[in-house]
Amino acid sequence: MAEFSRGFGSRRRESDAQLPPGQYLTADFPVLSAGPTPRIATEEWEFSVVTETGQTTSWSWEQLQALPIDDIHTDIHCVTRWSKLGTRWRGVSLDTLLEGVSTTAVSAMAHSYGGYTTNVPLVDLRGGRAWVAFEFDGAPLAPEHGGPARLLVPHLYFWKSAKWVRGLVLQERDDPGFWEQNGYNLHGDPWREERYW
């Protein structure tokens, strides 16, 4: 049976133009996980992109840090209905990591240390919309929030921003990941309330 952390509860709804439907504001950063928190040393961390033909490109922690780094200011929205506005992150754009990757894939399966997976259409990972993030609010990303690095796809519900990310496998179909196989929406747009099947 899966181990779930605190935070899967209901709260009041608020009316705010910055909030997607059904969300409420939080000043906290709730910790929600389906399992124990992996502890990955940066010396052992690696991120890879595997195409549908099996071609693999990988980066060590040092190689990732040598790439152009973006400062990201964005709102985040969890499917459990909390939203946090004006968050600050640093990371490497997926545009940079996918540059030069030859693919006809339409989707990617994000894989995490610890076994978590989530599917994300490639269109949602390109165009300055997604990053491999390793800093939050001016500090290294804490393990409980996905450190040393997590996928950051802030325009989708936050379960798509896979914690402890270790790579993307590009796919010709948009196959479901962990939560998607368990009733969550394949896409996850908070403004359309794409929460569940």
Side-chain angles (χ1 to χ4, degrees):
M1 178 176 224
E3 174 185 316
F4 296 98
S5 64
R6 67 174 183 80
F8 288 90
S10 62
R11 295 272 177 94
R12 70 188 184 285
R13 295 182 185 182
E14 298 180 17
S15 178
D16 185 314
Q18 292 180 280
L19 288 177
Q23 297 292 110
Y24 71 88
L25 287 175
T26 183
D28 299 329
F29 192 168
V31 176
L32 309 173
S33 300
T37 298
R39 307 282 174 174
I40 305 102
T42 55
E43 298 80 18
E44 299 170 5
W45 183 89
E46 182 179 77
F47 183 83
S48 61
V49 174
V50 181
T51 70
E52 69 278 14
T53 63
Q55 180 184 356
T56 303
T57 307
S58 298
W59 296 264
S60 68
W61 186 260
E62 287 183 355
Q63 290 169 329
L64 183 82
Q65 299 295 311
L67 296 173
I69 295 172
D70 293 345
D71 291 308
I72 308 120
H73 301 271
T74 189
D75 303 335
I76 55 176
H77 310 287
C78 183
V79 72
T80 62
R81 301 192 183 274
W82 61 261
S83 289
K84 188 169 178 64
L85 304 182
T87 62
R88 297 185 305 123
W89 305 78
R90 294 188 82 223
V92 174
S93 173
L94 262 291
D95 292 322
T96 299
L97 296 170
L98 292 171
E99 187 177 333
V101 172
S102 178
T103 183
T104 59
V106 298
S107 182
M109 186 69 73
H111 289 262
S112 297
Y113 291 94
Y116 178 77
T117 59
T118 189
N119 61 297
V120 185
L122 274 181
V123 68
D124 288 300
L125 296 176
R126 291 183 160 144
R129 303 174 86 193
W131 297 264
V132 172
F134 48 81
E135 285 186 19
F136 174 75
D137 207 16
L141 190 59
E144 61 268 20
H145 290 302
R150 76 180 296 156
L151 190 61
L152 178 63
V153 192
H155 67 283
L156 299 179
Y157 282 122
F158 217 45
W159 91 80
K160 295 293 188 175
S161 294
K163 295 180 182 180
W164 316 296
V165 71
R166 65 178 177 86
L168 299 175
V169 176
L170 307 187
Q171 310 176 128
E172 294 179 334
R173 298 182 329 188
D174 193 19
D175 292 327
F178 174 80
W179 282 118
E180 296 81 12
Q181 291 177 38
N182 288 283
Y184 280 44
N185 189 278
L186 274 176
H187 187 234
D189 183 336
W191 294 97
R192 295 180 179 176
E193 288 198 272
E194 294 177 341
R195 298 177 193 275
Y196 310 110
W197 288 349

